[in-house]
Amino acid sequence: MFHFTTLPPLSLYIHIPWCVRKCPYCDFNSHEHRGGPPPFEAYIDALVADLDQDVPLAWGRTVHSVFFGGGTPSLFPPEAVDRLLQAASARLRFAPGCEVTLETNPGTMEHGRFEDYLRAGVNRLSFGIQSFDDGCLARLGRIHDSAQAEAAVKRAQDAGFDNLNLDLMYALPAQDLAMAEADVARAIALQPTHVSHYQLTLEPNTVFAARPPRDLPDDDLAWDMQLRCQARLAEAGYAQYEVSAYAQPGRQCAHNLNYWRYGDYLGIGA
């Protein structure tokens, strides 16, 4: 019988299920929250209780990365994130320099200052930008525009964050090759450490699946976009290390890599 001589790395995933608005292409467990702010304290209580049930599965193991995904985790104020990270680190051993990523929407910056997220223990931000073209953003149902996106990234850098991912999508409704390249160029100009660049897909049980948008690029154009944008990222020093992820040297996402290398993880939340 085969036995591991060493255990694989361990990660912690924390799901925040609320959004300001549900995007028409999204098939994640995310929901628009209406009628005031989400129930921060009650949800954190539930997350801690969820983690308490999982701790025996990883007793004595070291956590190498934490990822707040969603939904829109940046809807939660920094003090809520701080409370949860303190509770998690009291129950699990965090590695020195543990990567802690928070997904954020450029349209939710008013929910907390980036300096406060940094003090809470977040050391990596992932911005769901998707495009720097305002027309594309409107067709995707995003709540931010390109100016807000650039401002959010610069504010995070000014606050002291030096590890940033920008999410971009391509093959968007009414997008041509030059528009796709322009998105990548504007992302590179902001000098993030990491770029996620992936094709829009019409997932089942989404608004886009039920009512497909008009003017979607055909497969040949989508392939041209992928190749041209890959080349632009490579020229700028971003190496592709998985299907849709590109990073500067030494800046690959530890949490992503743990999934790709079949590491272990605990997942808590809705």
Side-chain angles (χ1 to χ4, degrees), residues 14 23 26 37 40 54 73 81-82 109 116 118 122 164 176 178 205 212 224 237 248 260 267:
I14 301 166
C23 294
C26 178
F40 306 126
D54 287 348
V81 172
D82 180 52
M109 288 192 300
D116 294 333
L118 191 63
V122 176
L164 301 176
D176 60 26
N205 302 314
D224 288 342
Q248 292 177 344
W260 278 81

Side-chain angles (χ1 to χ4, degrees), residues 3-176:
H3 293 281
F4 285 108
T5 56
T6 59
L7 291 171
L10 178 68
S11 294
L12 174 64
Y13 175 77
I14 301 166
H15 192 71
I16 307 295
W18 292 287
C19 286
V20 174
R21 181 193 300 161
K22 179 78 170 181
C23 294
Y25 55 83
C26 178
D27 69 338
F28 296 160
N29 181 25
S30 61
H31 310 273
E32 291 183 21
H33 190 270
R34 301 181 179 91
F40 306 126
E41 295 302 321
Y43 190 66
I44 291 172
D45 290 341
L47 286 169
V48 174
D50 193 354
L51 182 59
D52 281 336
Q53 296 182 65
D54 287 348
V55 165
L57 300 172
W59 197 255
R61 305 267 307 268
T62 298
V63 172
H64 294 274
S65 67
V66 180
F67 197 101
F68 287 85
T72 305
S74 56
L75 285 176
F76 270 40
E79 55 268 26
V81 172
D82 180 52
R83 182 188 158 203
L84 184 54
L85 286 174
Q86 288 195 43
S89 62
R91 290 161 172 78
L92 296 164
R93 184 171 61 223
F94 280 22
C98 178
E99 178 190 273
V100 181
T101 301
L102 181 84
E103 287 188 334
T104 183
N105 186 317
T108 61
M109 288 192 300
E110 71 276 9
H111 293 280
R113 299 192 317 153
F114 289 122
E115 293 90 342
D116 294 333
Y117 286 117
L118 191 63
R119 279 192 286 269
V122 176
N123 53 31
R124 183 177 184 272
L125 294 175
S126 180
F127 284 96
I129 289 176
Q130 316 313 357
S131 177
F132 288 99
D133 182 279
D134 288 340
C136 287
L137 289 170
R139 288 186 285 275
L140 289 174
R142 302 296 289 173
I143 65 171
H144 68 275
D145 60 25
S146 58
Q148 288 175 309
E150 289 192 350
V153 173
K154 291 174 181 176
R155 280 178 57 179
Q157 291 167 329
D158 290 343
F161 278 96
D162 65 353
N163 198 3
L164 301 176
N165 170 65
L166 306 187
D167 269 359
L168 293 178
M169 301 172 74
Y170 66 94
L172 306 179
Q175 187 182 48
D176 60 26

